[in-house]
Amino acid sequence: MGFKFGYSTLRWQQPDFEKLLTQLKDAGWDGWEMRQSLDWAGTPRRIRRMCENVDMPVAAVTARGLPIDKNPEQMELNKRRIDFAAEVGADCFMFMGAGKPNDRPVSNDDLTKLADVSEEWAEYASRYGLDVCYHIHTNTTVDSIEDWAKYMSLLRKCKLCIDVSHSALWGFDPIESIRRYKDVLVYVHLQDYSGYTGGDGSNYDVDWVDVGGGDAMDFPGIMSTLEELGYDRWITACPGMVEERTDEERMTTNREYLRQLGY
């Protein structure tokens, strides 16, 4: 088994990094996905020091919004996050699409603009040997199997993060989507849900739960497929939102489920 398990810190607003990273290590995680602002994180040296103290490397640093119109300020701010990702030794830089238009369907032009930003970021990150990957996500520019395929056909350097839950919400079996895009897959999100409303052109409203807390996902099949394909990058779990739990409880619950699967 070549891959490592990361934990998404999407619920950490203004974290005490050293305390929480120590709890992550104790719970059995191999690394973490950083989503916090650079104002809160501080310098790359500070984050590297904390990571080294706990032996908890950064799996990925995420973007802060995506300017489909190439707004200069947003483009520069995210390039600084790419710089930061490279400095802390992250495995990749991850981003999601922009919001969908309010008054019309997503067009091929929107997909082209999204691809243009994606490729510009991937080209910028290539100076560091850093992968940039697009995270599929409902309620964003790409919000269907068909548009996902169109968007992927426009990419050359930008890679892919498959979040298995969003693939499932679109009606695309996550195992099949992993097989389809295995050649550009550099990051995987495990996320689960207990129910949802929407779809078919309207926004999804999803009840996110801890990994293994729903019944829609074949996580044993997903993991065995990744092993079969020789996937050897990070697999990051996303904690749920339905139940009120402490950060430490979420870390432990999600890791324990993966242990039950034999990982």
Side-chain angles (χ1 to χ4, degrees), residues 64-90:
R64 301 281 280 190
L66 182 139
I68 200 169
D69 60 353
K70 289 194 175 183
N71 174 277
E73 181 179 355
Q74 280 190 293
M75 291 295 286
E76 283 302 308
L77 287 173
N78 277 295
K79 286 178 180 178
R80 297 297 78 75
R81 292 184 71 81
I82 291 172
D83 297 338
F84 189 97
E87 286 286 335
V88 298

PDB file of all heavy atoms in Angstrom, residues 64-90:
ATOM      1  N   ARG A  64      -7.877  29.816  -2.297  1.00  0.00           N
ATOM      2  CA  ARG A  64      -8.900  30.634  -1.628  1.00  0.00           C
ATOM      3  C   ARG A  64      -9.725  31.293  -2.715  1.00  0.00           C
ATOM      4  O   ARG A  64      -9.489  32.427  -3.122  1.00  0.00           O
ATOM      5  CB  ARG A  64      -8.244  31.676  -0.729  1.00  0.00           C
ATOM      6  CG  ARG A  64      -7.361  31.102   0.354  1.00  0.00           C
ATOM      7  CD  ARG A  64      -8.127  30.572   1.544  1.00  0.00           C
ATOM      8  NE  ARG A  64      -8.524  31.647   2.440  1.00  0.00           N
ATOM      9  CZ  ARG A  64      -9.042  31.449   3.646  1.00  0.00           C
ATOM     10  NH1 ARG A  64      -9.241  30.230   4.088  1.00  0.00           N
ATOM     11  NH2 ARG A  64      -9.398  32.467   4.396  1.00  0.00           N
ATOM     12  N   GLY A  65     -10.701  30.550  -3.235  1.00  0.00           N
ATOM     13  CA  GLY A  65     -11.533  31.052  -4.308  1.00  0.00           C
ATOM     14  C   GLY A  65     -10.845  30.895  -5.651  1.00  0.00           C
ATOM     15  O   GLY A  65      -9.622  30.744  -5.739  1.00  0.00           O
ATOM     16  N   LEU A  66     -11.650  30.911  -6.708  1.00  0.00           N
ATOM     17  CA  LEU A  66     -11.097  30.825  -8.059  1.00  0.00           C
ATOM     18  C   LEU A  66     -11.700  31.927  -8.917  1.00  0.00           C
ATOM     19  O   LEU A  66     -12.921  31.981  -9.085  1.00  0.00           O
ATOM     20  CB  LEU A  66     -11.374  29.462  -8.685  1.00  0.00           C
ATOM     21  CG  LEU A  66     -10.772  29.296 -10.079  1.00  0.00           C
ATOM     22  CD1 LEU A  66     -10.172  27.911 -10.266  1.00  0.00           C
ATOM     23  CD2 LEU A  66     -11.819  29.548 -11.159  1.00  0.00           C
ATOM     24  N   PRO A  67     -10.861  32.823  -9.442  1.00  0.00           N
ATOM     25  CA  PRO A  67     -11.371  33.929 -10.262  1.00  0.00           C
ATOM     26  C   PRO A  67     -11.510  33.514 -11.725  1.00  0.00           C
ATOM     27  O   PRO A  67     -10.557  33.599 -12.497  1.00  0.00           O
ATOM     28  CB  PRO A  67     -10.294  34.998 -10.090  1.00  0.00           C
ATOM     29  CG  PRO A  67      -9.027  34.206  -9.895  1.00  0.00           C
ATOM     30  CD  PRO A  67      -9.422  32.934  -9.198  1.00  0.00           C
ATOM     31  N   ILE A  68     -12.688  33.069 -12.107  1.00  0.00           N
ATOM     32  CA  ILE A  68     -12.879  32.620 -13.483  1.00  0.00           C
ATOM     33  C   ILE A  68     -12.658  33.766 -14.469  1.00  0.00           C
ATOM     34  O   ILE A  68     -12.356  33.546 -15.645  1.00  0.00           O
ATOM     35  CB  ILE A  68     -14.287  32.000 -13.643  1.00  0.00           C
ATOM     36  CG1 ILE A  68     -14.338  31.105 -14.885  1.00  0.00           C
ATOM     37  CG2 ILE A  68     -15.369  33.048 -13.652  1.00  0.00           C
ATOM     38  CD1 ILE A  68     -15.589  30.258 -14.967  1.00  0.00           C
ATOM     39  N   ASP A  69     -12.770  35.013 -13.971  1.00  0.00           N
ATOM     40  CA  ASP A  69     -12.510  36.186 -14.809  1.00  0.00           C
ATOM     41  C   ASP A  69     -11.054  36.640 -14.722  1.00  0.00           C
ATOM     42  O   ASP A  69     -10.697  37.692 -15.253  1.00  0.00           O
ATOM     43  CB  ASP A  69     -13.427  37.339 -14.413  1.00  0.00           C
ATOM     44  CG  ASP A  69     -13.227  37.771 -12.952  1.00  0.00           C
ATOM     45  OD1 ASP A  69     -12.471  37.088 -12.226  1.00  0.00           O
ATOM     46  OD2 ASP A  69     -13.828  38.781 -12.553  1.00  0.00           O
ATOM     47  N   LYS A  70     -10.226  35.853 -14.062  1.00  0.00           N
ATOM     48  CA  LYS A  70      -8.811  36.162 -13.872  1.00  0.00           C
ATOM     49  C   LYS A  70      -8.606  37.508 -13.177  1.00  0.00           C
ATOM     50  O   LYS A  70      -7.692  38.259 -13.499  1.00  0.00           O
ATOM     51  CB  LYS A  70      -8.044  36.125 -15.197  1.00  0.00           C
ATOM     52  CG  LYS A  70      -7.870  34.729 -15.762  1.00  0.00           C
ATOM     53  CD  LYS A  70      -6.822  34.704 -16.866  1.00  0.00           C
ATOM     54  CE  LYS A  70      -6.581  33.280 -17.332  1.00  0.00           C
ATOM     55  NZ  LYS A  70      -5.516  33.207 -18.359  1.00  0.00           N
ATOM     56  N   ASN A  71      -9.439  37.776 -12.182  1.00  0.00           N
ATOM     57  CA  ASN A  71      -9.262  38.977 -11.375  1.00  0.00           C
ATOM     58  C   ASN A  71      -7.813  39.034 -10.879  1.00  0.00           C
ATOM     59  O   ASN A  71      -7.341  38.101 -10.217  1.00  0.00           O
ATOM     60  CB  ASN A  71     -10.227  38.936 -10.184  1.00  0.00           C
ATOM     61  CG  ASN A  71      -9.998  40.072  -9.219  1.00  0.00           C
ATOM     62  OD1 ASN A  71      -9.121  39.989  -8.368  1.00  0.00           O
ATOM     63  ND2 ASN A  71     -10.789  41.116  -9.344  1.00  0.00           N
ATOM     64  N   PRO A  72      -7.077  40.109 -11.194  1.00  0.00           N
ATOM     65  CA  PRO A  72      -5.637  40.142 -10.887  1.00  0.00           C
ATOM     66  C   PRO A  72      -5.310  39.938  -9.413  1.00  0.00           C
ATOM     67  O   PRO A  72      -4.348  39.243  -9.082  1.00  0.00           O
ATOM     68  CB  PRO A  72      -5.207  41.536 -11.365  1.00  0.00           C
ATOM     69  CG  PRO A  72      -6.206  41.905 -12.415  1.00  0.00           C
ATOM     70  CD  PRO A  72      -7.506  41.312 -11.957  1.00  0.00           C
ATOM     71  N   GLU A  73      -6.110  40.540  -8.521  1.00  0.00           N
ATOM     72  CA  GLU A  73      -5.824  40.397  -7.092  1.00  0.00           C
ATOM     73  C   GLU A  73      -5.972  38.950  -6.650  1.00  0.00           C
ATOM     74  O   GLU A  73      -5.106  38.403  -5.952  1.00  0.00           O
ATOM     75  CB  GLU A  73      -6.742  41.300  -6.272  1.00  0.00           C
ATOM     76  CG  GLU A  73      -6.474  41.214  -4.775  1.00  0.00           C
ATOM     77  CD  GLU A  73      -7.371  42.124  -3.959  1.00  0.00           C
ATOM     78  OE1 GLU A  73      -8.154  42.897  -4.558  1.00  0.00           O
ATOM     79  OE2 GLU A  73      -7.295  42.077  -2.724  1.00  0.00           O
ATOM     80  N   GLN A  74      -7.081  38.299  -7.062  1.00  0.00           N
ATOM     81  CA  GLN A  74      -7.285  36.911  -6.670  1.00  0.00           C
ATOM     82  C   GLN A  74      -6.246  35.989  -7.282  1.00  0.00           C
ATOM     83  O   GLN A  74      -5.793  35.027  -6.649  1.00  0.00           O
ATOM     84  CB  GLN A  74      -8.689  36.453  -7.073  1.00  0.00           C
ATOM     85  CG  GLN A  74      -9.782  36.907  -6.121  1.00  0.00           C
ATOM     86  CD  GLN A  74     -11.095  36.212  -6.437  1.00  0.00           C
ATOM     87  OE1 GLN A  74     -11.691  36.443  -7.485  1.00  0.00           O
ATOM     88  NE2 GLN A  74     -11.525  35.357  -5.549  1.00  0.00           N
ATOM     89  N   MET A  75      -5.873  36.250  -8.510  1.00  0.00           N
ATOM     90  CA  MET A  75      -4.843  35.435  -9.149  1.00  0.00           C
ATOM     91  C   MET A  75      -3.537  35.527  -8.367  1.00  0.00           C
ATOM     92  O   MET A  75      -2.881  34.505  -8.096  1.00  0.00           O
ATOM     93  CB  MET A  75      -4.633  35.869 -10.596  1.00  0.00           C
ATOM     94  CG  MET A  75      -5.794  35.550 -11.532  1.00  0.00           C
ATOM     95  SD  MET A  75      -6.083  33.771 -11.769  1.00  0.00           S
ATOM     96  CE  MET A  75      -4.697  33.348 -12.835  1.00  0.00           C
ATOM     97  N   GLU A  76      -3.149  36.742  -7.994  1.00  0.00           N
ATOM     98  CA  GLU A  76      -1.894  36.914  -7.261  1.00  0.00           C
ATOM     99  C   GLU A  76      -1.957  36.294  -5.873  1.00  0.00           C
ATOM    100  O   GLU A  76      -0.998  35.674  -5.410  1.00  0.00           O
ATOM    101  CB  GLU A  76      -1.530  38.393  -7.179  1.00  0.00           C
ATOM    102  CG  GLU A  76      -0.951  38.966  -8.452  1.00  0.00           C
ATOM    103  CD  GLU A  76       0.306  38.227  -8.894  1.00  0.00           C
ATOM    104  OE1 GLU A  76       1.230  38.062  -8.077  1.00  0.00           O
ATOM    105  OE2 GLU A  76       0.356  37.806 -10.068  1.00  0.00           O
ATOM    106  N   LEU A  77      -3.085  36.476  -5.183  1.00  0.00           N
ATOM    107  CA  LEU A  77      -3.213  35.893  -3.846  1.00  0.00           C
ATOM    108  C   LEU A  77      -3.073  34.377  -3.883  1.00  0.00           C
ATOM    109  O   LEU A  77      -2.453  33.772  -3.006  1.00  0.00           O
ATOM    110  CB  LEU A  77      -4.555  36.288  -3.228  1.00  0.00           C
ATOM    111  CG  LEU A  77      -4.677  37.747  -2.778  1.00  0.00           C
ATOM    112  CD1 LEU A  77      -6.112  38.042  -2.335  1.00  0.00           C
ATOM    113  CD2 LEU A  77      -3.703  38.068  -1.658  1.00  0.00           C
ATOM    114  N   ASN A  78      -3.639  33.763  -4.906  1.00  0.00           N
ATOM    115  CA  ASN A  78      -3.525  32.308  -5.000  1.00  0.00           C
ATOM    116  C   ASN A  78      -2.134  31.869  -5.450  1.00  0.00           C
ATOM    117  O   ASN A  78      -1.671  30.790  -5.068  1.00  0.00           O
ATOM    118  CB  ASN A  78      -4.603  31.757  -5.925  1.00  0.00           C
ATOM    119  CG  ASN A  78      -5.919  31.574  -5.193  1.00  0.00           C
ATOM    120  OD1 ASN A  78      -6.026  30.760  -4.288  1.00  0.00           O
ATOM    121  ND2 ASN A  78      -6.926  32.361  -5.550  1.00  0.00           N
ATOM    122  N   LYS A  79      -1.455  32.689  -6.229  1.00  0.00           N
ATOM    123  CA  LYS A  79      -0.061  32.361  -6.554  1.00  0.00           C
ATOM    124  C   LYS A  79       0.808  32.413  -5.306  1.00  0.00           C
ATOM    125  O   LYS A  79       1.757  31.621  -5.171  1.00  0.00           O
ATOM    126  CB  LYS A  79       0.461  33.290  -7.647  1.00  0.00           C
ATOM    127  CG  LYS A  79      -0.110  32.947  -9.023  1.00  0.00           C
ATOM    128  CD  LYS A  79       0.356  33.894 -10.103  1.00  0.00           C
ATOM    129  CE  LYS A  79      -0.249  33.500 -11.456  1.00  0.00           C
ATOM    130  NZ  LYS A  79       0.147  34.446 -12.535  1.00  0.00           N
ATOM    131  N   ARG A  80       0.475  33.295  -4.386  1.00  0.00           N
ATOM    132  CA  ARG A  80       1.219  33.313  -3.116  1.00  0.00           C
ATOM    133  C   ARG A  80       0.938  32.026  -2.337  1.00  0.00           C
ATOM    134  O   ARG A  80       1.823  31.532  -1.627  1.00  0.00           O
ATOM    135  CB  ARG A  80       0.826  34.541  -2.278  1.00  0.00           C
ATOM    136  CG  ARG A  80       1.148  35.889  -2.877  1.00  0.00           C
ATOM    137  CD  ARG A  80       2.631  36.142  -3.077  1.00  0.00           C
ATOM    138  NE  ARG A  80       3.174  35.463  -4.254  1.00  0.00           N
ATOM    139  CZ  ARG A  80       2.964  35.869  -5.528  1.00  0.00           C
ATOM    140  NH1 ARG A  80       2.212  36.928  -5.771  1.00  0.00           N
ATOM    141  NH2 ARG A  80       3.507  35.205  -6.534  1.00  0.00           N
ATOM    142  N   ARG A  81      -0.261  31.501  -2.450  1.00  0.00           N
ATOM    143  CA  ARG A  81      -0.570  30.232  -1.782  1.00  0.00           C
ATOM    144  C   ARG A  81       0.181  29.074  -2.456  1.00  0.00           C
ATOM    145  O   ARG A  81       0.578  28.118  -1.788  1.00  0.00           O
ATOM    146  CB  ARG A  81      -2.078  29.978  -1.746  1.00  0.00           C
ATOM    147  CG  ARG A  81      -2.817  30.957  -0.839  1.00  0.00           C
ATOM    148  CD  ARG A  81      -4.304  30.644  -0.731  1.00  0.00           C
ATOM    149  NE  ARG A  81      -4.586  29.436   0.032  1.00  0.00           N
ATOM    150  CZ  ARG A  81      -4.618  29.353   1.368  1.00  0.00           C
ATOM    151  NH1 ARG A  81      -4.369  30.437   2.111  1.00  0.00           N
ATOM    152  NH2 ARG A  81      -4.912  28.214   1.970  1.00  0.00           N
ATOM    153  N   ILE A  82       0.360  29.168  -3.764  1.00  0.00           N
ATOM    154  CA  ILE A  82       1.175  28.156  -4.457  1.00  0.00           C
ATOM    155  C   ILE A  82       2.617  28.248  -3.978  1.00  0.00           C
ATOM    156  O   ILE A  82       3.267  27.220  -3.709  1.00  0.00           O
ATOM    157  CB  ILE A  82       1.071  28.342  -5.983  1.00  0.00           C
ATOM    158  CG1 ILE A  82      -0.342  27.980  -6.471  1.00  0.00           C
ATOM    159  CG2 ILE A  82       2.117  27.485  -6.700  1.00  0.00           C
ATOM    160  CD1 ILE A  82      -0.601  28.310  -7.928  1.00  0.00           C
ATOM    161  N   ASP A  83       3.152  29.477  -3.867  1.00  0.00           N
ATOM    162  CA  ASP A  83       4.498  29.664  -3.325  1.00  0.00           C
ATOM    163  C   ASP A  83       4.600  29.013  -1.940  1.00  0.00           C
ATOM    164  O   ASP A  83       5.581  28.327  -1.626  1.00  0.00           O
ATOM    165  CB  ASP A  83       4.830  31.154  -3.184  1.00  0.00           C
ATOM    166  CG  ASP A  83       4.860  31.905  -4.507  1.00  0.00           C
ATOM    167  OD1 ASP A  83       5.044  31.276  -5.569  1.00  0.00           O
ATOM    168  OD2 ASP A  83       4.687  33.143  -4.472  1.00  0.00           O
ATOM    169  N   PHE A  84       3.584  29.280  -1.110  1.00  0.00           N
ATOM    170  CA  PHE A  84       3.563  28.751   0.255  1.00  0.00           C
ATOM    171  C   PHE A  84       3.545  27.222   0.225  1.00  0.00           C
ATOM    172  O   PHE A  84       4.288  26.575   0.983  1.00  0.00           O
ATOM    173  CB  PHE A  84       2.326  29.289   0.977  1.00  0.00           C
ATOM    174  CG  PHE A  84       2.278  28.997   2.449  1.00  0.00           C
ATOM    175  CD1 PHE A  84       2.699  29.949   3.364  1.00  0.00           C
ATOM    176  CD2 PHE A  84       1.807  27.779   2.925  1.00  0.00           C
ATOM    177  CE1 PHE A  84       2.660  29.689   4.734  1.00  0.00           C
ATOM    178  CE2 PHE A  84       1.763  27.508   4.278  1.00  0.00           C
ATOM    179  CZ  PHE A  84       2.195  28.466   5.193  1.00  0.00           C
ATOM    180  N   ALA A  85       2.702  26.653  -0.635  1.00  0.00           N
ATOM    181  CA  ALA A  85       2.610  25.190  -0.736  1.00  0.00           C
ATOM    182  C   ALA A  85       3.965  24.580  -1.071  1.00  0.00           C
ATOM    183  O   ALA A  85       4.363  23.547  -0.509  1.00  0.00           O
ATOM    184  CB  ALA A  85       1.571  24.806  -1.786  1.00  0.00           C
ATOM    185  N   ALA A  86       4.664  25.209  -1.997  1.00  0.00           N
ATOM    186  CA  ALA A  86       5.983  24.697  -2.369  1.00  0.00           C
ATOM    187  C   ALA A  86       6.957  24.797  -1.203  1.00  0.00           C
ATOM    188  O   ALA A  86       7.732  23.870  -0.941  1.00  0.00           O
ATOM    189  CB  ALA A  86       6.512  25.464  -3.577  1.00  0.00           C
ATOM    190  N   GLU A  87       6.918  25.913  -0.479  1.00  0.00           N
ATOM    191  CA  GLU A  87       7.851  26.137   0.630  1.00  0.00           C
ATOM    192  C   GLU A  87       7.646  25.146   1.773  1.00  0.00           C
ATOM    193  O   GLU A  87       8.602  24.766   2.456  1.00  0.00           O
ATOM    194  CB  GLU A  87       7.721  27.568   1.148  1.00  0.00           C
ATOM    195  CG  GLU A  87       8.322  28.623   0.251  1.00  0.00           C
ATOM    196  CD  GLU A  87       9.842  28.638   0.295  1.00  0.00           C
ATOM    197  OE1 GLU A  87      10.411  28.204   1.312  1.00  0.00           O
ATOM    198  OE2 GLU A  87      10.449  29.072  -0.692  1.00  0.00           O
ATOM    199  N   VAL A  88       6.397  24.742   2.013  1.00  0.00           N
ATOM    200  CA  VAL A  88       6.152  23.809   3.127  1.00  0.00           C
ATOM    201  C   VAL A  88       6.243  22.351   2.674  1.00  0.00           C
ATOM    202  O   VAL A  88       6.031  21.441   3.468  1.00  0.00           O
ATOM    203  CB  VAL A  88       4.777  24.070   3.809  1.00  0.00           C
ATOM    204  CG1 VAL A  88       4.734  25.458   4.407  1.00  0.00           C
ATOM    205  CG2 VAL A  88       3.612  23.843   2.849  1.00  0.00           C
ATOM    206  N   GLY A  89       6.546  22.131   1.392  1.00  0.00           N
ATOM    207  CA  GLY A  89       6.724  20.768   0.912  1.00  0.00           C
ATOM    208  C   GLY A  89       5.435  20.011   0.673  1.00  0.00           C
ATOM    209  O   GLY A  89       5.418  18.773   0.746  1.00  0.00           O
ATOM    210  N   ALA A  90       4.345  20.732   0.378  1.00  0.00           N
ATOM    211  CA  ALA A  90       3.075  20.064   0.103  1.00  0.00           C
ATOM    212  C   ALA A  90       3.189  19.192  -1.151  1.00  0.00           C
ATOM    213  O   ALA A  90       3.967  19.483  -2.060  1.00  0.00           O
ATOM    214  CB  ALA A  90       1.961  21.092  -0.084  1.00  0.00           C
TER     215      ALA A  90
END
